[in-house]
Amino acid sequence: MKSIEFQKTGVINIIPSYLSDMIFDKERYKDDSRWSIHWLTELQHNEHWNLPNAYVNVLYNYRNQIPNIDSIVDAIETGTHTANTTEILCEHFERVFTVEKDIAQNPYGEKNLDVIYRRIKDKHDHVTFLHGDSAAALKDTLLANPDTTFFFFLDAHVCGQTALVSELKAIKKYSNKTDHVILVDDCNELGTGQWPSRAELDVLLLDINPEYVISTIPIIRDIINVGAWIQK
């Protein structure tokens, strides 16, 4: 798995503010320009979300149900895309690993994403950008960190194609830990294309930890996430 190397142009050392220090801190993000990235995000501004990202917002909303969330300081994201979530993760975790398969020829039509990644790396030196297959990236990262509990945000998919099954199998096989917090995006697609069914997804999650609590999490409009974490 290839790590993307950047020539730094003066790194700004940002000290992340973790979930344990940011309980419903709406003031921190009140006037953040990232609320306007997408109209659906802007719609939630200062009303239902604590910060301009649906997925990290889930951790805020469910923090009282996830007993170990405050002790998790490492995050892995699959499907970096334009790195909107990556940047927010960098503000909450000590280390962030993120992998994107298509950087120069992204299927969504954006320009080369390398420019975006360089900007974020300059600001957040504790993020590692990876390029290639997401399951392979998980394997390499977990082999290097077998005893680390991670927050996983799994979002590597496009046009009905997804690496979700192989990603979850990699977590099971290459990590010694079973108390990860896992969030799977776009589960409204389950049972279509290469996506597993909901029943199959539950089996894969419970294979990692039979004691997982599995929750269906509505995000916005028809977008649904599925989360898994240890019991309170």
Side-chain angles (χ1 to χ4, degrees):
M1 177 54 52
K2 184 178 180 180
S3 176
I4 305 171
E5 298 293 335
F6 297 122
Q7 183 68 38
K8 297 186 178 68
T9 58
V11 173
I12 303 172
N13 291 318
I14 304 294
I15 304 300
S17 297
Y18 307 118
L19 288 164
S20 58
D21 301 322
M22 296 181 60
I23 302 176
F24 302 111
D25 183 9
K26 289 188 176 183
E27 289 300 314
R28 174 183 172 87
Y29 290 99
K30 181 178 179 181
D31 299 316
D32 196 297
S33 62
R34 288 171 292 186
W35 285 107
S36 61
I37 287 176
H38 192 285
W39 72 270
L40 289 175
T41 305
E42 193 166 22
L43 187 67
Q44 307 301 315
H45 189 189
N46 292 331
E47 294 184 14
H48 306 294
W49 293 358
N50 301 289
L51 70 169
N53 182 269
Y55 313 109
V56 178
N57 192 71
V58 168
L59 299 183
Y60 278 91
N61 289 344
Y62 285 80
R63 59 178 288 114
N64 291 330
Q65 300 179 37
I66 309 173
N68 63 333
I69 189 58
D70 289 340
S71 64
I72 297 177
V73 296
D74 299 279
I76 299 179
E77 172 192 33
T78 64
T80 314
H81 192 36
T82 54
N84 295 331
T85 297
T86 309
E87 189 169 28
I88 297 289
L89 289 172
C90 288
E91 295 167 6
H92 291 79
F93 293 89
E94 290 182 4
R95 291 191 304 167
V96 176
F97 301 87
T98 183
V99 57
E100 175 59 49
K101 185 175 183 179
D102 299 296
I103 296 178
Q105 296 180 339
N106 194 275
Y108 288 103
E110 277 86 4
K111 62 183 179 181
N112 192 317
L113 299 174
D114 180 72
V115 175
I116 298 173
Y117 299 170
R118 289 175 183 275
R119 174 183 61 79
I120 294 175
K121 182 66 175 178
D122 275 349
K123 186 177 180 181
H124 299 287
D125 195 37
H126 57 290
V127 60
T128 299
F129 286 96
L130 301 168
H131 179 202
D133 177 76
S134 60
L138 288 177
K139 174 184 176 180
D140 292 346
T141 304
L142 292 172
L143 284 174
N145 302 272
D147 298 311
T148 298
T149 299
F150 284 97
F151 166 60
F152 289 97
F153 178 56
L154 305 181
D155 191 27
H157 63 90
V158 61
C159 301
Q161 300 179 7
T162 177
L164 180 58
V165 172
S166 55
E167 289 173 347
L168 291 171
K169 288 182 177 180
I171 295 171
K172 163 68 175 178
K173 184 174 182 179
Y174 299 111
S175 176
N176 294 336
K177 304 292 286 186
T178 61
D179 59 344
H180 305 291
V181 173
I182 302 173
L183 189 63
V184 181
D185 192 23
D186 291 306
C187 287
N188 43 292
E189 301 288 340
L190 290 173
T192 67
Q194 294 181 350
W195 287 80
S197 67
R198 174 56 194 269
E200 291 168 335
L201 173 59
D202 287 358
V203 168
L204 289 163
L205 290 168
L206 293 173
D207 194 36
I208 295 172
N209 186 338
E211 301 300 320
Y212 266 153
V213 173
I214 302 175
S215 299
T216 300
I217 304 167
I219 299 297
I220 193 169
R221 294 295 177 91
D222 60 344
I223 300 174
I224 297 171
N225 279 196
V226 168
W229 45 77
I230 58 176
Q231 299 186 59
K232 188 73 174 179

